[in-house]
Each structure stands twice: as structure tokens, then as C-alpha cells.
């Protein structure tokens, strides 16, 4: 069952990130969600198979397809998995429109700061979320390999991880704000060349 493996890998990713971002005060919800979202955006880009330029920005319809716009109704997306996990947790929320978020992010490509965030500033992550990619990429790859997941499976596992984190943070962070933050960072990072080291 590939979905069972993706779900289990998602749980392992949650444990990894909780360990990486936890401190004496617990875990800052927006920071850990931003990290997971950045990793998901990069994973979708790498799973797309599209060529990645040496510099500049990336426009990959395949990556966006893995995030929210599946080519056929039978294909799973990160967005769909997030929504399924929220539904199973009986979390009902007026979700943002990923197409609108995509347009907003695309309009900001080349600008700074990036990814653009529309959530209130008090809900910004404590670190620049794309830094999670070089910091955790190898660990995520190892988790995916331990569950026999290919690149697409790894991206979907991150969808499960985000869903589980959204469920964990629902009492400390408004879920619509959380999902908006996740979408903006995930779609934004899918336009970025993978970073070799944190900034």
C-alpha cells in the first residue's frame, strides 16, 4: 500500500522536524509548518523531472501538478492529502484557493522577500523557511528511502507530514492562517532553485 508507506514516512518526518525545531518552550507552530512546506515545495520540484536552471527561477507546471493540480482525478496531490488528513481529524476550515495563491506567488517571483506571505506578521516563521531544505534534505531522503518511496512518494509523504502538523497545531494556530502560510511557502519554494546551503 503506497499510501500507508507515505503516511508512515510522514509520521517520521514529523518526528524529525519536531526534534529539529523543539526547544524548552516547545515548538513554534509557524516555523515548523513553514519548514515542512518548504521541503514539500522543493520535493515537488525535484519529483517533476523538469530541468532546473543554474540560476534564476523555475516555472514547473508538473511541480504545481504534484502540489495541487493533478493531471487526472486519480492522481494524488500534496494539497489533497493535507485536506484528507484534516477531514479525518474533523477539522473544518474555509481553505484558501491554491490557484489564487499561485498567482500571487508568481507575481512576486524575483522580488524580496520571497516567498511572499499574506498572513499577519505575527504569524511569520522564526526562520526563513527555505533554509529547511538544505538543513533537512538528506534526512528526508533517508526517511523516504527507508519506506521505499520514489521522489513523488517523498513529496506525498511531506503532504501527510504537513497534515499531521496542521492537526497538532490546530489549538495554537488558526488553521486557515496555517494552511495559507503552508501554501504560500510550498508554492514559492517550488519556483526556487534548490539551495546548497542555508542563507
Amino acid at each position: 500500500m503506497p499510501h500507508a508507506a507515505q503516511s508512515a514516512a510522514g509520521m517520521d518526518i514529523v518526528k524529525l522536524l519536531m526534534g529539529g525545531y523543539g526547544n524548552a518552550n516547545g515548538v513554534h507552530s509557524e516555523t515548523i509548518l513553514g519548514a515542512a512546506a518548504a521541503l514539500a515545495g522543493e520535493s515537488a520540484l525535484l519529483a517533476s523531472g523538469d530541468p532546473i536552471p543554474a540560476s534564476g527561477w523555475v516555472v514547473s507546471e508538473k511541480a504545481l501538478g504534484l502540489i495541487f493540480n493533478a493531471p487526472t482525478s486519480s492522481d494524488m496531490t500534496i494539497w489533497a492529502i493535507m485536506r484528507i488528513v484534516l477531514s479525518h481529524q474533523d477539522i473544518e476550515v474555509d481553505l484558501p484557493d491554491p490557484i489564487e495563491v499561485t498567482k500571487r506567488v508568481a507575481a512576486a517571483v524575483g522580488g524580496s522577500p520571497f516567498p511572499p506571505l499574506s498572513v499577519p506578521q505575527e504569524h511569520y516563521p522564526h526562520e526563513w523557511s527555505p533554509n529547511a531544505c538544505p538543513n533537512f534534505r538528506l534526512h528526508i531522503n533517508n526517511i523516504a528511502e527507508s519506506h521505499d518511496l520514489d521522489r513523488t512518494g517523498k513529496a506525498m509523504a511531506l503532504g501527510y507530514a504537513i497534515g499531521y502538523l496542521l492537526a497538532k497545531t490546530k489549538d495554537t494556530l488558526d488553521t486557515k492562517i496555517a494552511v495559507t502560510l503552508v501554501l504560500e511557502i510550498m508554492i514559492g519554494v517550488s519556483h526556487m532553485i534548490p539551495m546548497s546551503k542555508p542563507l
Side-chain angles (χ1 to χ4, degrees), residues 107-163:
V109 165
S112 181
F114 191 87
L117 301 180
S118 68
V119 300
Q121 194 161 358
E122 62 265 27
H123 291 296
Y124 280 21
H126 286 171
E127 74 166 14
W128 189 52
S129 298
N131 278 336
C133 297
N135 286 336
F136 290 95
R137 184 185 295 129
L138 290 179
H139 299 291
I140 300 293
N141 289 346
N142 289 338
I143 288 172
E145 186 176 340
S146 73
H147 290 278
D148 199 26
L149 298 177
D150 61 11
R151 285 185 167 190
T152 299
K154 179 179 69 173
M156 299 306 130
L158 280 153
Y160 279 104
I162 292 169

Side-chain angles (χ1 to χ4, degrees), residues 29-184:
S29 299
E30 292 90 340
T31 302
I32 195 170
L33 283 165
L39 287 157
E42 180 182 273
S43 291
L45 175 61
L46 295 174
S48 73
D50 284 342
I52 298 173
S55 62
W57 301 88
V58 187
V59 178
S60 170
E61 290 298 324
K62 291 179 183 175
L64 288 177
L66 290 170
I67 291 172
F68 73 87
N69 190 22
T72 68
S73 60
S74 63
D75 291 333
M76 193 55 75
T77 65
I78 295 170
W79 178 239
I81 288 169
M82 288 166 50
R83 291 169 60 192
I84 289 168
V85 173
L86 289 174
S87 175
H88 286 176
Q89 296 289 328
D90 293 323
I91 300 172
E92 295 184 11
V93 62
D94 179 22
L95 294 169
D97 181 353
I99 295 174
E100 290 302 315
V101 173
T102 299
K103 290 177 181 176
R104 191 162 65 244
V105 170
V109 165
S112 181
F114 191 87
L117 301 180
S118 68
V119 300
Q121 194 161 358
E122 62 265 27
H123 291 296
Y124 280 21
H126 286 171
E127 74 166 14
W128 189 52
S129 298
N131 278 336
C133 297
N135 286 336
F136 290 95
R137 184 185 295 129
L138 290 179
H139 299 291
I140 300 293
N141 289 346
N142 289 338
I143 288 172
E145 186 176 340
S146 73
H147 290 278
D148 199 26
L149 298 177
D150 61 11
R151 285 185 167 190
T152 299
K154 179 179 69 173
M156 299 306 130
L158 280 153
Y160 279 104
I162 292 169
Y164 299 144
L165 287 169
L166 288 168
K168 280 180 176 289
T169 60
K170 67 181 174 65
D171 294 329
T172 57
L173 176 62
D174 179 271
T175 302
K176 184 169 185 180
I177 290 175
V179 174
T180 301
L181 179 74
V182 163
L183 268 179
E184 289 174 341

Side-chain angles (χ1 to χ4, degrees), residues 15-34:
K15 291 175 189 171
L16 169 72
L17 296 179
M18 294 285 282
Y21 287 99
N23 56 39
N25 299 318
V27 176
H28 184 248
S29 299
E30 292 90 340
T31 302
I32 195 170
L33 283 165

